[in-house]
Amino acid sequence: MRAAHSLKGAARIVGLQDGVDIAHLMEERFVAAQRGELTLSGSHIDELLRGVDLLLRVGEPNSTDSITRAEIDAFVAGSSSDYVENTSASIALLPDGAPDTAEDQDQLADATLRTALAMLGADAASLAANADDAAHVVENAATQTPAPASEAHRPASAYAARDPNRMLRVRADNLDRLLSLSGESLVESRWLKPFAESMLRMKRTQRAATRALDTFYETLAQSLDPQALAALDEVRQTLGNMQQLLGTRIDELDRFDRRSTNLAQQLYDEALQCRMRPFGDATGAYPRIVRDLARSLGKRVRFSIVGEATQVDRDILDMLDAPLGHLLRNALDHGVETPEQRIARGKPAEASLTLEARHSAGKLLISVSDDGAGIDLEGLRAAVVQRRFADEATTARLSDQELLEFLLLPGFSMREHVTDVSGRGVGLDAVHEMVKAVRGTVRIFNEPGQGVRFVLQLPLTLSVIRSLLVQVGGEAYAFPLAHVRRTLELARGDIDMLEGQQHFPFEGRPVGLVTAHQLLGTHAPDETRAGVAVVVIGDERETYGVAVDRFLGERMLVVQPLDSRLGKVKDIAAAALMENGDAVLIVDVEDLLRSVDKLVRGGQLDKVRRAQDVTARQRKHVLVVEDSLTVRELERKLLEKRGYTVTVAVDGMDGWNALRSTHFDLVVTDIDMPRMDGIELVTLIKRDTLLKTIPVMIVSYKDRDEDRRRGLDAGADYYLAKGSFHDEALLDAVHDLIGEAQT
């Protein structure tokens, strides 16, 4: 009633007399219903919904379907004559199939009233958005119909209060940019911890210097004159004060590190949450759709929506509109029986149709269920044979679940004749394609004679995906786990040739093997590994194994869309940032399968070396330890171009961990780095009995003689200053230390 009242006031302010007349008449109906003077029936709801349609047309005066005064007069005349009639007489105006008992009448009136109120409220919000303040003024005017006492005495500030649950319009690219920036801030905040650890090492070094100075003071206390002792004591006190100040600053830095990391994490989580919307935002039109279609089919349906507050990714919510409409129409047309049929089967005349959304086990579950006749499996089996999707012998062997999968195929329908509602085999196919596009699944639960339930299992968000990280050509790539069938460590002896293409056994059948290096345009893999890391992708009809260098583990990645200026990057869907700040490309598996198919048809597939092909020619492995991204990438590309296998580390600690897990032929390191500097790293290498034989080259901006001597004294085999650095100088030095890239 208040929505109609607000619309009336807003229409009067902007001079839309047609809107005033329609809204006023609707308001009168709601007021009469509130006072018990009118019992709302199906025909009353029809008139109210017709008023909603007219209000929408009034709000769009420039549209081709503009409203005429004759239509409004007809609406006013029809509603007025209907209002004058007695409540009992209004029941007689119901169409065939309407409820006969008072209890049924009340149930239908309640359901349809809720539908009308929901739609009217939505229209009020859209049509009066620009005239809220004016509408409130009219709302309090003496000329208007008085509001209930509880509303009349409400303070004016209550109307002006801003609803914390109100919706704001924000461009999608702005949200994506916000999410990207919050992710970068989270990565940057995590660099404070290594810096704090380096400060602790400085504190320990300073403490050692203080102890050495104390020892020096005690040793010379008897031999120095008082003036020298006083000067030395002043140095000791200054150093002690510096140590205390440094300790205080380190504590402050540690607290700041915890606060900034926590704040960055909260910002990131909130930015991610901004992409979520309540499920109810997409369901406003469904009650009207269900009601209108049910009445046109002569069926009575009680429609309910469960889980309207369930949070759904905004992109998934936009994509759900058409599929859910198809499922609801499918349930009404195919599943729900007419009232006469339901009564004959011992069911209530009114059917139940439920749309539900909920979270379960990290997934979004959307279900559409009805208590209708269910799916006739024998009729479905006959339709499969009749439409030549399979022969009779094959369909006889199919399980019930396999048989139900035919409903999702394009062009399949159990209707013999096409109607304006169904019969073309498009609806469920559209549902299946949408679910497949977001890496979800469709499941059908059928109870013949009792009803059917369609369940869409979807990811909670398209912004965050679980991914398998792999290394290809020294770079990290991510395969969405939803597209990964299996990961294998394949022995090279298990690779066979079949019709000129490499295959390996998988689930009892041969599966084609392709190399990720050819697909992604990287250099050939290191063939010294005993096995081959393989990612199996595709479906039952088209399955391939993609050979990668090695597996890096599983990660939750926040999807960062690529710059639109790049266009569609072949075989790449998006990018993401890892916790250490490194970028990772997310593979477009569907595009990758198309690329594989193209290479297969052209006979251009590279081959993975089998056991007998692996010779003594091994590529030498170089570890580059450098905190500067620019220098690190430059050195890596130079060495890889010459044929060396290169692994990179972002600081000394990262490099030390890599050395303890992998064999390297050479280490190239910088000096000034967080967590552990180059001198400490060289010292650790040369003290380790297993690693001390590895040559170490220092590449640093420090080119003074004392810096060079300090590096060589720590055990470095070569010292190259970045000031005189050029491509050939680095490559010649590497060649002098370990020779050619292959042996």
Side-chain angles (χ1 to χ4, degrees):
M1 187 275 292
R2 295 200 69 254
H5 189 61
S6 296
L7 274 173
K8 181 174 67 173
R12 175 165 290 144
I13 290 297
V14 297
L16 289 177
Q17 186 58 40
D18 294 341
V20 173
D21 295 341
I22 297 170
H24 178 71
L25 193 62
M26 297 175 70
E27 181 188 11
E28 289 294 326
R29 296 296 170 272
F30 287 125
V31 170
Q34 281 183 336
R35 294 174 178 173
E37 299 172 1
L38 176 67
T39 301
L40 290 175
S41 65
S43 60
H44 294 124
I45 299 301
D46 286 340
E47 285 299 317
L48 288 170
L49 292 176
R50 184 171 167 230
V52 171
D53 295 336
L54 292 175
L55 282 173
L56 288 173
R57 292 170 60 189
V58 168
E60 299 176 358
N62 298 325
S63 65
T64 56
D65 187 25
S66 59
I67 193 168
T68 63
R69 187 64 205 181
E71 291 179 282
I72 297 175
D73 292 340
F75 171 72
V76 172
S79 298
S80 298
S81 61
D82 183 52
Y83 176 55
V84 172
E85 296 180 0
N86 188 274
T87 302
S88 59
S90 67
I91 300 176
L93 296 176
L94 292 174
D96 293 341
D100 297 326
T101 67
E103 182 179 356
D104 289 343
Q105 174 71 38
D106 291 341
Q107 290 177 354
L108 180 60
D110 288 343
T112 52
L113 179 58
R114 285 194 299 270
T115 301
L117 288 172
M119 295 195 64
L120 189 59
D123 294 332
S126 61
L127 293 177
N130 297 324
D132 283 343
D133 294 337
H136 292 155
V137 173
V138 175
E139 196 171 23
N140 294 315
T143 56
Q144 299 298 328
T145 303
S150 59
E151 298 292 339
H153 292 90
R154 180 178 296 182
S157 59
Y159 293 106
R162 302 179 68 83
D163 181 8
N165 296 319
R166 68 190 185 280
M167 301 299 293
L168 300 177
R169 292 183 179 272
V170 181
R171 288 170 55 90
D173 58 342
N174 287 343
L175 279 181
D176 291 336
R177 208 158 41 242
L178 176 63
L179 186 62
S180 176
L181 290 173
S182 61
E184 291 180 21
S185 69
L186 181 61
V187 170
E188 290 298 324
S189 70
R190 288 173 177 165
W191 280 103
L192 283 173
K193 191 172 186 62
F195 180 75
E197 291 175 353
S198 68
M199 296 294 290
L200 285 174
R201 287 198 302 273
M202 181 185 296
K203 182 180 179 181
R204 288 194 293 269
T205 303
Q206 194 179 58
R207 187 185 303 118
T210 301
R211 286 197 298 267
L213 185 61
D214 289 342
T215 303
F216 178 74
Y217 179 84
E218 293 171 359
T219 303
L220 299 179
Q222 303 299 327
S223 58
L224 292 178
D225 59 77
Q227 186 177 0
L229 285 175
L232 189 58
D233 187 59
E234 184 178 353
V235 172
R236 290 174 60 201
Q237 291 180 3
T238 302
L239 193 58
N241 293 335
M242 289 176 58
Q243 189 172 358
Q244 290 181 0
L245 181 62
L246 180 61
T248 302
R249 292 292 181 265
I250 289 176
D251 291 340
E252 292 175 355
L253 180 62
D254 185 57
R255 288 194 297 271
F256 177 75
D257 171 36
R258 289 196 298 270
R259 288 197 305 269
S260 63
T261 302
N262 184 50
L263 185 60
Q265 184 68 55
Q266 290 182 20
L267 174 63
Y268 178 75
D269 293 340
E270 289 297 327
L272 198 60
Q273 189 64 25
C274 285
R275 292 181 58 97
M276 311 298 282
R277 292 166 52 196
F279 179 64
D281 284 2
T283 61
Y286 294 146
R288 175 74 181 272
I289 292 173
V290 170
R291 182 180 188 278
D292 289 350
L293 183 56
R295 292 175 71 83
S296 68
L297 296 174
K299 300 177 180 180
R300 291 173 50 197
V301 177
R302 184 177 67 257
F303 179 53
S304 57
I305 301 175
V306 180
E308 291 185 88
T310 301
Q311 295 294 306
V312 183
D313 184 277
R314 64 163 196 240
D315 294 330
I316 292 180
L317 199 61
D318 291 340
M319 298 171 71
L320 277 173
D321 184 34
L324 291 182
H326 286 306
L327 287 175
L328 292 173
R329 283 190 290 271
N330 184 77
L332 289 169
D333 192 32
H334 292 271
V336 173
E337 314 99 317
T338 62
E340 294 79 8
Q341 291 173 329
R342 292 181 62 84
I343 292 173
R345 294 173 181 173
K347 296 181 179 180
E350 186 179 58
S352 175
L353 177 60
T354 303
L355 171 61
E356 180 182 4
R358 61 188 177 91
H359 293 165
S360 176
K363 294 287 185 179
L364 171 66
L365 299 185
I366 307 288
S367 66
V368 176
S369 58
D370 63 74
D371 63 349
I375 299 172
D376 179 8
L377 294 178
E378 292 306 317
L380 176 58
R381 208 179 300 270
V384 170
V385 176
Q386 180 183 354
R387 297 179 182 274
R388 299 182 179 179
F389 281 87
D391 56 41
E392 192 169 349
T394 302
T395 55
R397 295 194 300 268
L398 294 176
S399 66
D400 292 350
Q401 195 58 44
E402 291 171 333
L403 198 60
L404 291 172
E405 295 293 327
F406 280 92
L407 294 172
L408 305 176
L409 295 180
F412 183 84
S413 176
M414 295 181 66
R415 279 277 186 265
E416 295 183 1
H417 304 289
V418 177
T419 67
D420 59 345
V421 179
S422 63
R424 298 188 182 276
V426 175
L428 292 182
D429 172 52
V431 175
H432 185 241
E433 286 301 314
M434 174 268 164
V435 172
K436 184 179 177 182
V438 298
R439 305 180 297 274
T441 58
V442 183
R443 300 181 65 187
I444 305 173
F445 300 90
N446 179 51
E447 295 184 36
Q450 300 299 318
V452 65
R453 181 163 59 102
F454 286 82
V455 178
L456 313 184
Q457 182 173 294
L458 309 171
L460 282 179
T461 176
L462 297 181
S463 306
V464 180
I465 59 172
R466 293 178 61 204
S467 300
L468 170 68
L469 286 187
V470 301
Q471 188 178 73
V472 180
E475 301 286 352
Y477 290 86
F479 283 79
L481 278 180
H483 289 289
V484 176
R485 293 188 60 183
R486 189 80 59 82
T487 58
L488 303 170
E489 278 289 346
L490 187 66
R492 296 182 184 273
D494 293 336
I495 303 175
D496 297 320
M497 294 295 296
L498 183 62
E499 297 180 353
Q501 181 183 340
Q502 288 185 326
H503 288 75
F504 64 94
F506 178 72
E507 295 182 351
R509 63 189 181 96
V511 169
L513 181 63
V514 297
T515 66
H517 305 85
Q518 182 181 13
L519 294 171
L520 300 173
T522 63
H523 64 77
D526 184 356
E527 301 291 354
T528 60
R529 294 181 70 241
V532 181
V534 176
V535 181
V536 182
I537 59 174
D539 52 25
E540 294 295 336
R541 295 170 296 176
E542 190 178 42
T543 305
Y544 291 100
V546 180
V548 301
D549 290 354
R550 62 192 179 102
F551 301 124
L552 299 178
E554 181 184 325
R555 296 286 193 282
M556 293 292 292
L557 297 178
V558 177
V559 178
Q560 305 283 356
L562 299 176
D563 194 307
S564 58
R565 291 171 292 185
L566 296 174
K568 175 64 177 81
V569 180
K570 181 173 174 288
D571 300 331
I572 300 299
L577 279 177
M578 292 196 291
E579 289 185 353
N580 61 359
D582 290 346
V584 56
L585 294 176
I586 301 173
V587 175
D588 185 339
V589 176
E590 298 292 336
D591 201 13
L592 197 70
L593 287 170
R594 287 190 287 270
S595 298
V596 173
D597 186 59
K598 183 178 179 180
L599 291 173
V600 170
R601 288 200 308 269
Q604 302 171 341
L605 283 177
D606 290 346
K607 294 178 174 58
V608 177
R609 289 189 180 182
R610 291 181 288 175
Q612 59 267 33
D613 298 330
V614 179
T615 65
R617 291 181 59 81
Q618 300 178 1
R619 298 199 310 164
K620 292 181 179 177
H621 201 171
V622 179
L623 173 64
V624 174
V625 186
E626 172 64 64
D627 62 330
S628 169
L629 175 62
T630 304
V631 177
R632 185 168 69 237
E633 288 300 297
L634 174 62
E635 293 177 356
R636 180 181 67 81
K637 290 178 180 178
L638 284 174
L639 293 169
E640 287 181 345
K641 189 175 181 180
R642 184 59 65 91
Y644 296 98
T645 298
V646 181
T647 295
V648 296
V650 298
D651 55 40
M653 184 63 71
D654 193 20
W656 177 244
N657 292 333
L659 281 164
R660 289 185 294 176
S661 60
T662 307
H663 170 73
F664 293 97
D665 299 289
L666 173 67
V667 176
V668 179
T669 181
D670 187 17
I671 290 182
D672 294 325
M673 295 180 292
R675 296 207 294 175
M676 180 188 293
D677 62 29
I679 298 299
E680 290 181 77
L681 177 62
V682 174
T683 303
L684 287 174
I685 293 173
K686 294 305 179 180
R687 287 178 180 175
D688 191 287
T689 56
L690 298 177
L691 303 177
K692 63 182 180 180
T693 57
I694 300 176
V696 180
M697 177 194 300
I698 292 179
V699 180
S700 174
Y701 283 113
K702 296 183 176 181
D703 56 358
R704 297 179 303 174
D705 289 340
E706 53 266 33
D707 295 321
R708 185 185 303 273
R709 188 164 49 253
R710 182 165 167 254
L712 295 175
D713 290 345
D717 298 276
Y718 202 101
Y719 193 104
L720 180 64
K722 292 180 182 178
S724 58
F725 176 87
H726 56 85
D727 298 359
E728 292 303 321
L730 174 67
L731 295 174
D732 289 344
V734 172
H735 183 271
D736 291 343
L737 289 172
I738 60 174
E740 296 291 340
Q742 293 184 336
T743 58

